[in-house]
Amino acid sequence: MAAHPSQPLYLTGGADGSVQLWEWGHPSCVWSPRAPGAFAKVTRVRFSDYGNKFAAADADGNLAMWQLHPSAQQHDTTQPHAPARPFFTHQCHSKGISDFVFLGSCSLVATAGHSSESKNVAIWDTLMPIKKALVVSWTCHEGGAACIAWAGSAGALVSCGRRGDVFVWDLRTRASRHKLHAHHAPIKCVALSHQEDQYAIGAADGDIKVFSLMTHQLLHTFAGEHARSSFFKHIGQGVTQIHIDNAGRLFSCGADGTMKVRKLPERDAPPPHHAHY
């Protein structure tokens, strides 16, 4: 699922390959850009920063992108829009896309997935012809990349792998700024803080770690935040979703069926004042 940045709309992507647009308060979807049955399981849906376009990635490695037309909000809820042709579609990774992110308000999109030649993180210009759309790709993350986040203020891309490794990429130089081995277990999800100065990663062993984006130091560890596995085997293992809001609260969901919220400790807090007598 993905929420629209400003309107009461949200997207869903299904295991049947379908992509649907919904409006809060309406029992049925208002638009089905992609019907079920023709594509592999949807692995991620996202809106762009302004919400004027959205995209869906699937387990076959396809990325498809649609314009969100004004008519999508001024709809007749009894007659959902018919499936629409995406303005961009391409198989970006040969063995599946696990995550993607819009790089700000421009036409660039970064994808994280698994390719046969191990080019598991790539950047695409969605306005270019398909043969020229690939901007850069990196051979990294043995076994595939699991998730990705974009820190626009720092010009940095954070990608995490299925073997517990993290890369911080510099988009200006198109090179790696830093690499670290963050977890012994596969990383499942990543989230940036509102200030984009730190990021949290959740792993299949249920641990959450928070790192500084500037110094790459480990700031916090929350061990065993979620049980490694549970009755809900089909969901995955450990931490499955993570988010940091603008109040510094860390939200996490797990394969144990729970959602947890904790306040991240303040950084660089002044030492307590002691009066001298």
Side-chain angles (χ1 to χ4, degrees):
M1 298 176 70
H4 192 279
S6 59
Q7 300 187 39
L9 302 168
Y10 64 98
L11 284 168
T12 60
D16 57 6
S18 64
V19 179
Q20 296 182 317
L21 181 73
W22 304 76
E23 183 170 7
W24 296 110
H26 289 278
S28 55
C29 83
V30 298
W31 184 25
S32 297
R34 191 154 82 187
F39 287 86
K41 171 187 174 181
V42 175
T43 54
R44 177 72 76 184
V45 289
R46 289 190 191 271
F47 284 100
S48 62
D49 286 7
Y50 292 130
N52 60 326
K53 52 193 175 186
F54 60 90
D58 68 34
D60 280 344
N62 298 301
L63 180 70
M65 196 173 299
W66 294 264
Q67 295 283 354
L68 181 65
H69 297 290
S71 59
Q73 295 102 56
Q74 299 161 5
H75 51 265
D76 175 0
T77 54
T78 62
Q79 296 292 326
H81 298 332
R85 184 181 294 275
F87 72 85
F88 176 88
T89 180
H90 185 56
Q91 187 181 25
C92 299
H93 298 278
S94 61
K95 296 183 180 180
I97 297 177
S98 53
D99 198 5
F100 69 91
V101 65
F102 289 92
L103 303 187
S105 57
C106 66
S107 59
L108 300 179
V109 175
T111 57
H114 195 189
S115 294
S116 55
E117 69 278 15
S118 293
K119 293 186 183 299
N120 294 328
V121 176
I123 296 175
W124 309 85
D125 189 335
T126 59
L127 296 183
M128 295 293 287
I130 288 299
K131 289 184 178 180
K132 297 181 179 179
L134 180 62
V135 176
V136 63
S137 61
W138 291 295
T139 302
C140 56
H141 297 304
E142 185 183 352
C147 49
I148 198 164
W150 163 240
S153 59
L157 197 63
V158 181
S159 66
C160 306
R162 302 187 190 281
R163 304 285 172 89
D165 54 335
V166 175
F167 279 86
V168 179
W169 305 98
D170 188 315
L171 247 62
R172 187 177 54 83
T173 63
R174 298 186 183 179
S176 170
R177 282 187 193 174
H178 192 74
K179 179 188 178 182
L180 60 100
H181 192 79
H183 279 280
H184 294 295
I187 298 173
K188 308 288 283 187
C189 46
V190 60
L192 282 164
S193 66
H194 195 65
Q195 296 79 16
E196 297 186 344
D197 59 341
Q198 51 187 319
Y199 60 93
I201 51 179
D205 59 6
D207 292 359
I208 295 173
K209 293 181 180 180
V210 183
F211 292 87
S212 165
L213 186 59
M214 305 308 157
T215 66
H216 313 296
Q217 288 179 301
L218 176 62
L219 302 174
H220 314 292
T221 299
F222 308 115
E225 190 80 340
H226 292 276
R228 292 181 186 220
S229 59
S230 70
F231 179 74
F232 305 103
K233 292 293 185 189
H234 63 287
I235 296 177
Q237 292 180 300
V239 187
T240 54
Q241 293 282 353
I242 201 165
H243 175 73
I244 304 174
D245 72 0
N246 56 10
R249 294 180 298 179
L250 177 71
F251 294 77
S252 61
C253 297
D256 55 3
T258 67
M259 185 188 85
K260 295 185 177 181
V261 188
R262 64 161 65 240
K263 187 82 169 71
L264 285 176
E266 293 290 334
R267 295 180 60 208
D268 303 321
H273 177 71
H274 297 287
H276 296 283
Y277 297 99

